[in-house]
Amino acid sequence: MRRTLDTGNAAITEGAIIAGCRLFAGYPITPATEIAENMSRRLPQVGGYYVQAEDEMTALHICIGGSLGGLKTMTATSGPGFILYADPMGWALGSEIPLVVVNAQRVGPVSGITGAPGQGEFYMSRYPTQGGNYETIVLAPNSVQEAFSITVEAFYLAERFRMPVIILADQLVTDGWESLSIPETPEEVEAMGLKVIPRRINEGPEFYPATDEIDIPPVVLGHNTDAACSDWTPTPEGYDTEEVDFQHKHAYRLIYKVRNHKDLITRYESYFVDDNPDLILVAYGSPSRVVISAVKQAREKGLKVGALRLISLWPFPDEIFKVPAKYLSVELNYDGQLVREVQRAMPKGSEVHFFGKCGELPTVAELEEMMQALLAGKEIKARNWEWEAW
Amino acid sequence: MDYLATKYLRPRKIPSTACSGCGLGQAHKKVVKAIDELGLGIGDVIWGTGIGCAGRQTFNTWKGDNFAGTHGRAYAIATGLRMALAPDKKIIMTVGDGDAFGIGFLHLLNCARRNVGMTVIVLDNLGYQSTGGQYGWTTPRGYRTDSSPYGMREPNWTQEGRDVLNILREAGATFLARYTSLQGQEAVEAIKKAIMNNGFSLVHMPYPCVTNFAERALGTRKPVEIYKWFGEHTCSMHEKGPDDFAFRTGIYHDASNSRPEFSEYMKTWVAEIQRRYS
């Protein structure tokens, strides 16, 4: 085990290499540039390729091509690049291409502030392309060490579900420096609870079976399997078709291979939720670090509060919202994104509130003030755009 | 069925659903003939396509491996694929003029710059015909289409001193040629040279669209009229040709195997880095 002090960007790089990534195509963008830089240094050392693409759309297409040829591939960006993935993301989801996409979220919209964290692509990671009829898998680390392990896991899930897996990080996780342990042997990887599976090759002739099963090898070209894959609705053999019956089967597979194996994806942490707390804070990514601190401190002061920290975001873990309580979604945006899912998933008898910050983390003191007010049943006045009762 | 089709193409897709009189089949056959004359087998070629008439009619016609990219993106996909494929596998792509010279032109230019090993055959029906016949980047100036009812007024990539093949040559392409689908063995020979170039090759192959282009531009769907019009407007690249518009044909640039192919160069370089740091 190698112990070091490094950034989330470095952790993602090392996780990808351990997971077997051998092609990275990317385009420089703060705060994900160091992933590209680290990859350009590390990949050749292990026999892999770094390609700097002419834009993010090209980057993801190159990753698709590499994966179609049998390599494990990854790209990384921030919000302004993530929108350019919309075109290839549809191709990768529809043709079931395993690969990993990292989004180090920064505050927006548009270019926003390059060096400030945001959580504006929560829904965009669920709907990253047009057309519908698919589910996505989205994972959200809140530390440098977890950025490492989630990257290894993202590759694992990408191979099993044969689809792109999105890592929705944020600027504080990717740019932040923390201690990082990197396993150096397969035994150490396993001891960390991580799994790596090699790329398998679909031998055909059914490349796109109408089933919700996972662990079906993906299409790999160049191995004399007479494979076909395209952007059109496929028959099981990969022929393009305009018969709606095949569309039904294709959509069923893309949606239900994920929904029916959600237990393999869903991950979260809960704090103080077993004694029916009056108030449960919900967060993911870097704000969850503040939320956990604030809830621990509040408990010491006798406040009956708890926290849910989401690690997998999509498919949304509705089933973990078991306790009727007041819920407070803490996010790095003012428009409220996660809160909408909390509102949908909350059990009967709950109420949902929102606290958003824009480009900076909340403080423990701010959260405590919010918790005190909510527990006292005080009506939360909208303070300009900062707080809002939902 | 044609012996080439029986040998190389999938019976489920041939004959294609192209309109009666369409020139696409002529062009498609030339590509398959070139492959056959080079002695390549089904497993030697990965066939890529884009969107539109050229993409839809040729996708998954090849008995071996096939892929179709979203509109204009097949070149970017092929770049990644090239990195992963064994060097002896050929990537051959049949794409449309809108795909290559419009929406995908940025990717095409960068493939030429990198000299990525692929052969791109641009099957050019002079505009967007599968959507009903709108003008494109090779539609001759002045000709009527559904989106240029008063005649095409935009500067295109093929007239007034501009030639898309010159741009691609400057970008670094190592083999460039133009022949129409009406031309014979000389076009097949050019495609063979394109395939044998270990680098980025492009053959621009205009072909007649009877249903949409001819109907708007020439006022008739009689195949003989558009075929005649093609013949009248075809000349050698060394000739000036007709005043209004010409398909100037020939091998524009043959720098075959003069530059390192991108994926092979990268593989050699990576091996060198590994040797240095092992």
Side-chain angles (χ1 to χ4, degrees):
Chain A
M1 195 76 74
R2 185 159 64 89
R3 288 187 175 78
T4 177
L5 179 72
D6 220 322
T7 63
N9 283 326
I12 289 167
T13 303
E14 294 305 323
I17 283 169
I18 280 173
C21 176
R22 290 299 177 267
L23 172 64
F24 179 96
Y27 190 92
I29 183 168
T30 307
T33 306
E34 288 81 2
I35 300 176
E37 288 182 349
N38 287 324
M39 278 295 195
S40 74
R41 179 173 51 83
R42 290 287 285 122
L43 274 175
Q45 295 172 0
V46 295
Y49 312 109
Y50 169 81
V51 180
Q52 199 155 297
E54 47 269 26
D55 59 26
E56 286 87 347
M57 191 204 294
T58 311
L60 188 47
H61 277 113
I62 290 175
C63 289
I64 287 173
S67 187
L68 263 180
L71 294 175
K72 290 187 184 176
T73 65
M74 181 171 90
T75 183
T77 190
S78 187
F82 194 69
I83 57 167
L84 293 183
Y85 290 165
D87 179 338
M89 191 68 88
W91 208 97
L93 284 163
S95 292
E96 302 192 56
I97 309 292
L99 49 85
V100 174
V101 166
V102 181
N103 179 358
Q105 295 176 100
R106 68 194 209 194
V107 66
V110 216
S111 295
I113 299 169
T114 57
Q119 290 185 325
E121 284 97 63
F122 174 75
Y123 276 112
M124 204 173 172
S125 66
R126 169 61 186 87
Y127 299 106
T129 187
Q130 42 68 254
N133 297 316
Y134 57 83
E135 286 277 351
T136 57
I137 299 176
V138 181
L139 308 173
N142 79 344
S143 71
V144 167
Q145 187 65 51
E146 196 176 56
F148 170 83
S149 56
I150 267 185
T151 304
V152 180
E153 191 178 341
F155 276 94
Y156 174 75
L157 293 174
E159 293 297 323
R160 290 197 71 186
F161 285 81
R162 60 174 211 182
M163 64 187 286
V165 173
I166 299 169
I167 299 173
L168 197 64
D170 59 65
Q171 181 265 342
L172 285 167
V173 171
T174 56
D175 275 353
W177 289 72
E178 282 187 304
S179 57
L180 170 65
S181 297
I182 301 168
E184 292 180 295
T185 63
E187 294 73 33
E188 286 178 349
V189 172
E190 209 182 317
M192 286 178 92
L194 300 172
K195 294 192 192 86
V196 175
I197 45 175
R199 170 60 55 86
R200 295 152 303 160
I201 296 169
N202 194 314
E203 301 289 341
E206 284 223 335
F207 297 100
Y208 295 100
T211 166
D212 65 346
E213 283 172 40
I214 59 167
D215 294 321
I216 296 171
V219 168
V220 178
L221 303 181
H223 293 268
N224 302 315
T225 60
D226 300 343
C229 59
S230 74
D231 44 319
W232 290 295
T233 297
T235 67
E237 303 84 15
Y239 284 95
D240 52 317
T241 178
E242 296 198 344
E243 286 176 45
V244 81
D245 184 43
F246 287 116
Q247 176 62 43
H248 296 165
K249 289 172 176 163
H250 187 49
Y252 169 81
R253 165 150 184 80
L254 298 185
I255 297 165
Y256 286 95
K257 70 175 176 182
V258 177
R259 284 191 192 165
N260 290 353
H261 298 92
K262 194 177 171 185
D263 55 316
L264 297 173
I265 302 162
T266 300
R267 280 179 57 201
Y268 66 100
E269 282 177 354
S270 57
Y271 298 84
F272 313 110
V273 292
D274 297 330
D275 60 351
N276 292 323
D278 302 318
L279 172 65
I280 297 174
L281 278 62
V282 187
Y284 73 92
S286 60
S288 69
R289 302 275 289 264
V290 189
V291 162
I292 293 161
S293 300
V295 164
K296 281 181 179 166
Q297 282 191 26
R299 275 276 167 171
E300 282 167 19
K301 292 179 184 172
L303 301 184
K304 209 175 164 193
V305 295
L308 287 173
R309 199 268 283 194
L310 308 188
I311 302 172
S312 64
L313 300 181
W314 300 104
F316 194 76
D318 290 34
E319 61 279 8
I320 71 171
F321 295 84
K322 294 179 196 132
V323 189
K326 291 177 177 176
Y327 283 93
L328 174 65
S329 179
V330 181
E331 307 174 41
L332 298 185
N333 60 65
Y334 277 160
D335 50 323
Q337 300 195 8
L338 172 62
V339 64
R340 293 167 200 256
E341 290 305 302
V342 176
Q343 197 165 42
R344 193 183 51 72
M346 69 178 186
K348 273 192 182 136
S350 302
E351 56 183 77
V352 175
H353 300 270
F354 169 66
F355 182 60
K357 295 292 281 184
C358 190
E360 59 187 349
L361 284 182
T363 64
V364 170
E366 279 176 317
L367 289 179
E368 192 186 326
E369 190 186 347
M370 189 79 182
M371 286 188 277
Q372 295 277 15
L374 284 170
L375 288 170
K378 281 184 195 161
E379 194 182 334
I380 296 166
K381 294 248 169 32
R383 195 170 67 189
N384 295 328
W385 13 255
E386 278 192 335
W387 337 13
E388 189 187 332
W390 272 65
Chain B
M1 202 193 286
D2 187 288
Y3 84 96
L4 283 174
T6 309
K7 187 172 173 187
Y8 289 107
L9 304 182
R10 296 183 186 227
R12 193 159 156 182
K13 295 281 287 196
I14 300 292
S16 77
T17 52
C19 308
S20 175
C22 177
L24 188 85
Q26 295 177 321
H28 192 183
K29 181 172 177 177
K30 284 184 172 58
V31 182
V32 179
K33 192 156 187 272
I35 291 169
D36 187 51
E37 288 181 12
L38 288 171
L40 296 172
I42 286 161
D44 296 328
V45 172
I46 316 291
W47 197 298
T49 57
I51 293 275
C53 293
R56 198 69 192 253
Q57 302 303 332
T58 58
F59 168 65
N60 211 13
T61 53
W62 184 247
K63 274 185 179 169
D65 288 354
N66 296 268
F67 71 96
T70 42
H71 199 14
R73 317 296 172 211
Y75 327 104
I77 292 171
T79 301
L81 183 60
R82 184 77 270 170
M83 303 298 298
L85 281 182
D88 58 334
K89 300 280 181 188
K90 307 277 187 195
I91 299 177
I92 298 176
M93 297 199 283
T94 43
V95 299
D97 46 304
D99 203 273
F101 301 149
I103 194 166
F105 200 35
L106 172 70
H107 307 302
L108 200 69
L109 283 175
N110 281 285
C111 287
R113 173 178 62 80
R114 294 190 179 104
N115 198 32
V116 183
M118 65 178 84
T119 300
V120 180
I121 316 289
V122 182
L123 304 178
D124 178 0
N125 52 13
L126 307 179
Y128 293 89
Q129 311 306 346
S130 72
T131 46
Q134 296 77 35
Y135 70 84
W137 323 112
T138 55
T139 306
R141 289 292 293 269
Y143 281 83
R144 275 187 60 205
T145 71
D146 268 9
S147 61
S148 57
Y150 309 110
M152 210 286 274
R153 295 294 155 212
E154 261 197 62
N156 59 23
W157 280 132
T158 49
Q159 282 177 280
E160 299 162 318
R162 283 179 304 279
D163 192 327
V164 68
L165 296 186
N166 291 337
I167 299 170
L168 287 163
R169 175 164 53 197
E170 289 296 313
T174 38
F175 185 88
L176 295 163
R178 173 179 294 124
Y179 289 96
T180 75
S181 69
L182 277 63
Q183 288 172 294
Q185 188 61 25
E186 56 191 320
V188 176
E189 294 300 329
I191 296 169
K192 281 158 74 176
K193 283 185 179 169
I195 294 170
M196 291 316 290
N197 171 32
N198 185 22
F200 180 84
S201 298
L202 183 139
V203 179
H204 180 202
M205 185 163 287
Y207 72 91
C209 166
V210 172
T211 302
N212 290 326
F213 181 79
E215 200 272 335
R216 307 301 188 286
L218 308 181
T220 174
R221 282 183 175 166
K222 282 186 193 155
V224 66
E225 295 300 326
I226 180 79
Y227 280 73
K228 206 172 113 200
W229 181 86
F230 252 72
E232 287 165 3
H233 288 82
T234 302
C235 67
S236 154
M237 58 184 278
H238 303 295
E239 293 164 13
K240 189 173 159 289
D243 283 345
D244 66 330
F245 171 75
F247 300 114
R248 300 176 69 242
T249 61
I251 291 175
Y252 269 62
H253 181 55
D254 186 355
S256 293
N257 309 309
S258 64
R259 286 177 66 202
E261 191 281 321
F262 182 65
S263 68
E264 283 185 21
Y265 179 81
M266 289 288 278
K267 282 170 191 170
T268 311
W269 174 239
V270 161
E272 167 64 16
I273 302 281
Q274 276 191 294
R275 191 188 59 75
R276 260 191 241 169
Y277 290 90
S278 62

mmCIF file of all heavy atoms in Angstrom, chain A residues 69-87:
data_model
loop_
_atom_site.group_PDB
_atom_site.id
_atom_site.type_symbol
_atom_site.label_atom_id
_atom_site.label_comp_id
_atom_site.label_asym_id
_atom_site.label_seq_id
_atom_site.Cartn_x
_atom_site.Cartn_y
_atom_site.Cartn_z
ATOM 1 N N GLY A 69 -13.107 -1.168 -29.493
ATOM 2 C CA GLY A 69 -11.961 -1.964 -29.907
ATOM 3 C C GLY A 69 -11.430 -2.851 -28.789
ATOM 4 O O GLY A 69 -10.465 -3.579 -28.997
ATOM 5 N N GLY A 70 -12.015 -2.740 -27.593
ATOM 6 C CA GLY A 70 -11.642 -3.647 -26.515
ATOM 7 C C GLY A 70 -10.859 -3.036 -25.377
ATOM 8 O O GLY A 70 -10.493 -3.735 -24.430
ATOM 9 N N LEU A 71 -10.587 -1.721 -25.438
ATOM 10 C CA LEU A 71 -9.861 -1.085 -24.338
ATOM 11 C C LEU A 71 -10.847 -0.527 -23.312
ATOM 12 O O LEU A 71 -11.948 -0.116 -23.654
ATOM 13 C CB LEU A 71 -9.009 0.080 -24.861
ATOM 14 C CG LEU A 71 -7.843 -0.246 -25.790
ATOM 15 C CD1 LEU A 71 -7.206 1.046 -26.297
ATOM 16 C CD2 LEU A 71 -6.808 -1.092 -25.077
ATOM 17 N N LYS A 72 -10.411 -0.501 -22.061
ATOM 18 C CA LYS A 72 -11.196 0.232 -21.058
ATOM 19 C C LYS A 72 -10.821 1.705 -21.181
ATOM 20 O O LYS A 72 -9.625 2.042 -21.227
ATOM 21 C CB LYS A 72 -10.892 -0.284 -19.657
ATOM 22 C CG LYS A 72 -11.444 -1.684 -19.405
ATOM 23 C CD LYS A 72 -11.256 -2.044 -17.939
ATOM 24 C CE LYS A 72 -11.708 -3.459 -17.651
ATOM 25 N NZ LYS A 72 -11.427 -3.830 -16.254
ATOM 26 N N THR A 73 -11.816 2.578 -21.223
ATOM 27 C CA THR A 73 -11.547 3.984 -21.521
ATOM 28 C C THR A 73 -12.261 4.913 -20.540
ATOM 29 O O THR A 73 -13.251 4.539 -19.914
ATOM 30 C CB THR A 73 -11.997 4.348 -22.952
ATOM 31 O OG1 THR A 73 -13.418 4.223 -23.038
ATOM 32 C CG2 THR A 73 -11.358 3.443 -23.978
ATOM 33 N N MET A 74 -11.725 6.133 -20.438
ATOM 34 C CA MET A 74 -12.316 7.135 -19.541
ATOM 35 C C MET A 74 -12.090 8.524 -20.115
ATOM 36 O O MET A 74 -11.109 8.764 -20.830
ATOM 37 C CB MET A 74 -11.668 7.044 -18.152
ATOM 38 C CG MET A 74 -12.241 8.024 -17.134
ATOM 39 S SD MET A 74 -11.655 7.724 -15.445
ATOM 40 C CE MET A 74 -10.187 8.741 -15.419
ATOM 41 N N THR A 75 -12.997 9.433 -19.807
ATOM 42 C CA THR A 75 -12.778 10.850 -20.080
ATOM 43 C C THR A 75 -13.222 11.633 -18.849
ATOM 44 O O THR A 75 -13.934 11.104 -18.000
ATOM 45 C CB THR A 75 -13.526 11.318 -21.346
ATOM 46 O OG1 THR A 75 -13.219 12.699 -21.587
ATOM 47 C CG2 THR A 75 -15.022 11.176 -21.202
ATOM 48 N N ALA A 76 -12.762 12.880 -18.752
ATOM 49 C CA ALA A 76 -13.091 13.679 -17.578
ATOM 50 C C ALA A 76 -13.271 15.135 -17.988
ATOM 51 O O ALA A 76 -12.574 15.626 -18.875
ATOM 52 C CB ALA A 76 -11.986 13.574 -16.525
ATOM 53 N N THR A 77 -14.201 15.802 -17.322
ATOM 54 C CA THR A 77 -14.493 17.187 -17.683
ATOM 55 C C THR A 77 -15.188 17.890 -16.525
ATOM 56 O O THR A 77 -15.302 17.354 -15.433
ATOM 57 C CB THR A 77 -15.375 17.225 -18.953
ATOM 58 O OG1 THR A 77 -15.454 18.563 -19.413
ATOM 59 C CG2 THR A 77 -16.776 16.717 -18.680
ATOM 60 N N SER A 78 -15.675 19.105 -16.804
ATOM 61 C CA SER A 78 -16.545 19.827 -15.886
ATOM 62 C C SER A 78 -17.806 20.213 -16.671
ATOM 63 O O SER A 78 -17.920 19.891 -17.859
ATOM 64 C CB SER A 78 -15.817 21.050 -15.335
ATOM 65 O OG SER A 78 -16.601 21.653 -14.320
ATOM 66 N N GLY A 79 -18.714 20.919 -16.026
ATOM 67 C CA GLY A 79 -20.021 21.185 -16.637
ATOM 68 C C GLY A 79 -19.992 21.647 -18.087
ATOM 69 O O GLY A 79 -20.694 21.079 -18.935
ATOM 70 N N PRO A 80 -19.184 22.667 -18.429
ATOM 71 C CA PRO A 80 -19.192 23.154 -19.811
ATOM 72 C C PRO A 80 -18.759 22.106 -20.831
ATOM 73 O O PRO A 80 -19.129 22.200 -22.009
ATOM 74 C CB PRO A 80 -18.203 24.327 -19.783
ATOM 75 C CG PRO A 80 -18.221 24.797 -18.367
ATOM 76 C CD PRO A 80 -18.401 23.554 -17.552
ATOM 77 N N GLY A 81 -17.975 21.119 -20.408
ATOM 78 C CA GLY A 81 -17.616 20.016 -21.294
ATOM 79 C C GLY A 81 -18.655 18.905 -21.241
ATOM 80 O O GLY A 81 -18.891 18.214 -22.226
ATOM 81 N N PHE A 82 -19.278 18.763 -20.070
ATOM 82 C CA PHE A 82 -20.260 17.686 -19.898
ATOM 83 C C PHE A 82 -21.427 17.843 -20.874
ATOM 84 O O PHE A 82 -21.951 16.851 -21.369
ATOM 85 C CB PHE A 82 -20.760 17.678 -18.449
ATOM 86 C CG PHE A 82 -21.508 16.427 -18.075
ATOM 87 C CD1 PHE A 82 -20.840 15.210 -17.966
ATOM 88 C CD2 PHE A 82 -22.866 16.464 -17.825
ATOM 89 C CE1 PHE A 82 -21.537 14.051 -17.615
ATOM 90 C CE2 PHE A 82 -23.557 15.310 -17.479
ATOM 91 C CZ PHE A 82 -22.885 14.107 -17.372
ATOM 92 N N ILE A 83 -21.793 19.111 -21.153
ATOM 93 C CA ILE A 83 -22.909 19.305 -22.096
ATOM 94 C C ILE A 83 -22.528 18.821 -23.496
ATOM 95 O O ILE A 83 -23.394 18.388 -24.250
ATOM 96 C CB ILE A 83 -23.403 20.770 -22.157
ATOM 97 C CG1 ILE A 83 -22.270 21.728 -22.523
ATOM 98 C CG2 ILE A 83 -24.043 21.184 -20.849
ATOM 99 C CD1 ILE A 83 -22.752 23.099 -22.886
ATOM 100 N N LEU A 84 -21.227 18.878 -23.840
ATOM 101 C CA LEU A 84 -20.810 18.410 -25.166
ATOM 102 C C LEU A 84 -20.799 16.887 -25.256
ATOM 103 O O LEU A 84 -20.646 16.330 -26.332
ATOM 104 C CB LEU A 84 -19.428 18.969 -25.525
ATOM 105 C CG LEU A 84 -19.370 20.477 -25.742
ATOM 106 C CD1 LEU A 84 -17.963 20.900 -26.156
ATOM 107 C CD2 LEU A 84 -20.353 20.931 -26.794
ATOM 108 N N TYR A 85 -20.941 16.218 -24.128
ATOM 109 C CA TYR A 85 -21.022 14.754 -24.152
ATOM 110 C C TYR A 85 -22.395 14.273 -24.596
ATOM 111 O O TYR A 85 -22.585 13.070 -24.800
ATOM 112 C CB TYR A 85 -20.760 14.167 -22.767
ATOM 113 C CG TYR A 85 -19.340 14.262 -22.251
ATOM 114 C CD1 TYR A 85 -19.067 14.054 -20.911
ATOM 115 C CD2 TYR A 85 -18.277 14.513 -23.109
ATOM 116 C CE1 TYR A 85 -17.776 14.105 -20.423
ATOM 117 C CE2 TYR A 85 -16.983 14.575 -22.630
ATOM 118 C CZ TYR A 85 -16.738 14.376 -21.284
ATOM 119 O OH TYR A 85 -15.462 14.424 -20.802
ATOM 120 N N ALA A 86 -23.358 15.184 -24.701
ATOM 121 C CA ALA A 86 -24.747 14.754 -24.927
ATOM 122 C C ALA A 86 -24.857 13.849 -26.156
ATOM 123 O O ALA A 86 -25.565 12.838 -26.132
ATOM 124 C CB ALA A 86 -25.656 15.967 -25.066
ATOM 125 N N ASP A 87 -24.163 14.204 -27.241
ATOM 126 C CA ASP A 87 -24.236 13.424 -28.474
ATOM 127 C C ASP A 87 -23.628 12.022 -28.290
ATOM 128 O O ASP A 87 -24.330 11.011 -28.427
ATOM 129 C CB ASP A 87 -23.549 14.244 -29.587
ATOM 130 C CG ASP A 87 -23.524 13.567 -30.940
ATOM 131 O OD1 ASP A 87 -23.648 12.349 -31.006
ATOM 132 O OD2 ASP A 87 -23.347 14.264 -31.955
#
